[in-house]
Amino acid sequence: MDYNINQIIQLLNLIYFMLSLKQQFIIKSRKLVSHLNADSIKKIGITRGARTDRGVHALCNIISLKLQIDQKYCQSMTNNKLVDKWNIDWDLLINELNSQLPKDIKVNGIKHVTQSFNVKNQADQRMYNYISPQFSSSDQIQKICNEYLGTHNFHNYTSKKEYKDPSSKRFIQEFNVQPFKFNEENYLKFTILGNSFMYHQIRKMIGTIYQIIQEKKDLEFIKQTFSEKQHSLYIAPQQGLYLREIKFFGYNMKPDIPQKLEYDFKQQILIDEFEDELMKYICDQYERENIFEEWYKEIQQYKH
C-alpha cells in the first residue's frame, strides 16, 4: 500500500487522470468532467486542502472541483430534465468512483459547496498525525511539545523563508503525544493542530524533539529556534506523517451554504477504519525497513 498524497492528487486531478489513465476514468464515470474541460485546471476549478511533503500520507484530504452529473445519478428526472438538482444518488456515484480507484484510495463523500468555494483559502484548521517508534517517555516528550503551543516564527522549520517574512509565523493550537503498542513494540502518536503549516514544518518539529532528547539539549533550545538566528534542525522521516483532518468553522457558519462540510456518522466510521489500516502500514514499514535507525545513522554521519 502507498498512501502518498501525490497519488491522491494525481487520481483526483483530472489532468493527471488524462495522463495516467488516458481518459478512461472520464469515460467510465459517465463523463463527470467533459472532454472539453478535462485539460484545464481553471475550467474544472480544482483546489485542494493541503499539500504535504513527498512521501507523506493523507487520511482525509479535501478536493473541490466542478462536476457535470450524468442523468444516471439523478433521482428527480422528468422528460429528461432535472427537477431537483440536489436529489442525486451520491452513494451510487461514490461506489462507482471507488470501484475504479486503488484499494488504498477512497472517496468518502461528496458535498455541494458555493460557487466561489476554495478549499485552501477557506480551511480554518488542519490536523496532522505523526507516528514514530517510542524514543523517550511520553511525559518528557509532551513537555517539549508544549513549547510549540501558540504563535511562533517557524522560519527555521522550512526552507527559503526569512525571519522577517510574515508568513513564517504560524499558530499551533494543540500538540499532543500518546503512546500505543503495535506487535508488542512501543510507538508514539503525535497530534498537531494549527491553522496551516509550511513545507517540512511538522517533520522538523518532530525531528527537533528527537534532537533535544538525543543531544540532551535544554528546553530553551525550542525558543532559540524561533529567533532570527539560523539553526540546523533534524527532519523526521516522511513515512510517519499523515494529514488527519481539515476543518471549516467559518464556512459552516455561513447562512447561505448548500451543505455544511462535516463528516456524518457513516463517513466517520470509514475514516476511523482507514486510519487503523494506515497506522498499521506505517508501523509495518518502520519494522520492515528500520527507518528511524537508518535515519539517525545518516544524521550522525552528516554531523561528523
Side-chain angles (χ1 to χ4, degrees), residues 88-282:
I88 295 171
D89 190 344
W90 292 117
D91 288 338
L92 176 61
L93 176 53
I94 290 170
N95 288 337
E96 291 200 0
L97 284 172
N98 286 333
S99 71
Q100 298 169 45
L101 294 173
K103 64 179 181 179
D104 53 355
I105 299 177
K106 292 183 176 70
V107 176
N108 284 328
I110 300 176
K111 296 200 175 189
H112 291 280
V113 292
T114 56
Q115 186 72 20
S116 60
F117 179 77
N118 182 293
V119 178
K120 180 182 177 182
N121 296 339
Q122 293 181 272
D124 296 301
Q125 290 181 339
R126 293 166 176 85
M127 179 185 289
Y128 284 84
N129 289 118
Y130 191 92
I131 306 298
S132 83
Q134 186 159 4
F135 52 88
S136 184
S137 73
S138 56
D139 288 341
Q140 182 185 14
I141 293 173
Q142 185 62 60
K143 289 179 182 179
I144 304 174
C145 291
N146 292 342
E147 296 295 315
Y148 283 105
L149 297 178
T151 301
H152 303 286
N153 191 311
F154 285 93
H155 74 103
N156 273 312
Y157 290 79
T158 188
S159 59
K160 300 179 181 179
K161 284 279 186 182
E162 299 294 332
Y163 176 77
K164 295 181 179 180
D165 187 338
S167 66
S168 294
K169 291 185 177 181
R170 301 294 162 118
F171 174 63
I172 306 300
Q173 185 172 340
E174 294 180 17
F175 195 175
N176 301 315
V177 63
Q178 289 181 317
F180 70 96
K181 278 187 176 291
F182 177 78
N183 285 349
E184 301 303 318
E185 297 293 332
N186 294 319
Y187 286 87
L188 298 170
K189 180 181 181 181
F190 294 87
T191 299
I192 308 100
L193 178 66
N195 55 348
S196 61
F197 298 91
M198 296 182 292
Y199 182 65
H200 282 167
Q201 180 185 339
I202 294 176
R203 289 173 57 198
K204 283 199 171 185
M205 290 166 68
I206 303 296
T208 302
I209 294 172
Y210 192 87
Q211 184 175 359
I212 288 173
I213 290 172
Q214 291 295 323
E215 299 181 2
K216 297 180 173 56
K217 292 180 179 291
D218 192 270
L219 281 179
E220 186 66 24
F221 180 72
I222 296 287
K223 294 179 181 178
Q224 294 172 11
T225 66
F226 300 144
S227 69
E228 189 170 2
K229 182 181 177 181
Q230 294 286 334
H231 287 273
S232 178
L233 304 177
Y234 291 8
I235 178 169
Q238 62 201 27
Q239 292 90 341
L241 182 61
Y242 62 92
L243 172 66
R244 177 60 177 81
E245 188 176 354
I246 302 174
K247 300 183 179 182
F248 300 87
F249 299 116
Y251 177 84
N252 287 340
M253 292 177 64
K254 293 182 178 180
D256 57 345
I257 59 174
Q259 292 177 292
K260 288 187 176 182
L261 297 180
E262 298 173 335
Y263 303 122
D264 60 29
F265 181 72
K266 179 181 176 182
Q267 290 168 342
Q268 192 61 59
I269 290 176
L270 291 173
I271 291 167
D272 291 343
E273 290 175 350
F274 204 39
E275 183 171 24
D276 289 341
E277 291 183 36
L278 176 53
M279 290 176 62
K280 180 179 182 299
Y281 171 77
I282 293 172

Side-chain angles (χ1 to χ4, degrees), residues 7-25:
Q7 278 192 294
I8 297 175
I9 293 169
Q10 287 177 349
L11 287 163
L12 294 181
N13 182 326
L14 271 301
I15 290 178
Y16 290 123
F17 276 148
M18 293 183 66
L19 293 175
S20 61
L21 301 182
K22 303 182 184 301
Q23 300 182 344
Q24 291 182 32
F25 180 90

